[in-house]
Amino acid sequence: MSKKILIAEDESIIALNLRTVLVREGYEVVATVSSGQEAFTAAIALQPDIILIDIDLAGDTDGITTATRIREQLDVPIIYLTDKVDPPTVARIPTTKSHAYLLKPCDEYKLRLTLEITLYKHSVDSKIRESEQWLSTTIKSIGDAVIATDEKGHIRFMNEVAEGLTGWPGSEAASRPLTEVFVIINETSRLTVENPAERVLREGKTVGLANHTILIARDGTERHIDDAAAPILDPDGNIQGVVLTFRDITEKRQAQQLLEMKERELNDFLENASIGMHRADVNGKILWANQEELDIFGCTREEYIGHHLSDFYADPQDAGTLIDKLHTYNAVRNFETRIRR
């Protein structure tokens, strides 16, 4: 399908020559206008693929002002036509995000080449923007916090989850060293933990956060976190930065700490109980025993743990009988036997 071109040129002879050349080259000229307002109206109505616009258009608005208005409404590549190369004019061109400019009268070869390059570059830029938008949307929507840095460890991007956990708005954190925003300490020692991004930049490989790491937010709030940091590599394998992902595991860590405390309490209770207790595997190998049981058998822990129950029964067959009963998933409430100290 031929590309649609809008020509905005107030010199009729130049406009006619441009139209003739473009049609001959296979382009579709959707309109030829001579003023800024006409160019704006035509661009909005006709949605061209590319616009050729004279910088010194007739009317109240020149080509640069008109191009600025159009770019605010449409993502369309613009090529300026001008017979001026004075510094003030040239300085205004980049501010409108135009793709190129041509000196009048236009050389046919340069015109064709500039059009091809401009259309190709715009296509590539559009794909890059789509990819960046897709990636940005994906990162913003995931549940983990994400921070990306440059090769010096300065922050380039934070998603909303990272902003919430660190207490730093992305706009304020941008370009700051990661160590200033992502402050982590060890839960037990309270000493500063090495920032994972520094390790990635130094070692060039993915690293995980140390266990029991606490993130200190900007307002002093402390949260238990975990996860990892990985290098951002260019096609040649050179490190361009670091991406750090982490999540708030405060509730998980608190539950773990509570479980650990309950286990210690249970172990203390079992260890200090006034009745002998032991735990064995399904084959009768003793895995654990409390002190009261060791005293009953007159053994040290080393002499008892790891041995088979039958080693301490006066009749070893009693141990086999007991194990057989337990294998049927029946509780054995009373089992009388004689033991050997």
Side-chain angles (χ1 to χ4, degrees), residues 13 35-36 45 61 67 137 178 192 214 221 226 252-253 294:
I13 295 178
S35 71
T61 57
T137 301
L178 180 62
T192 300
I214 291 178
T221 301
D226 72 359
K252 176 182 176 181
R253 179 59 183 147
L294 296 175

Side-chain angles (χ1 to χ4, degrees), residues 20-40:
T20 300
V21 171
L22 293 172
V23 171
R24 187 169 65 238
E25 292 294 332
Y27 293 100
E28 177 187 356
V29 178
V30 293
T32 301
V33 297
S34 59
S35 71
Q37 183 58 46
E38 288 177 327
F40 178 79

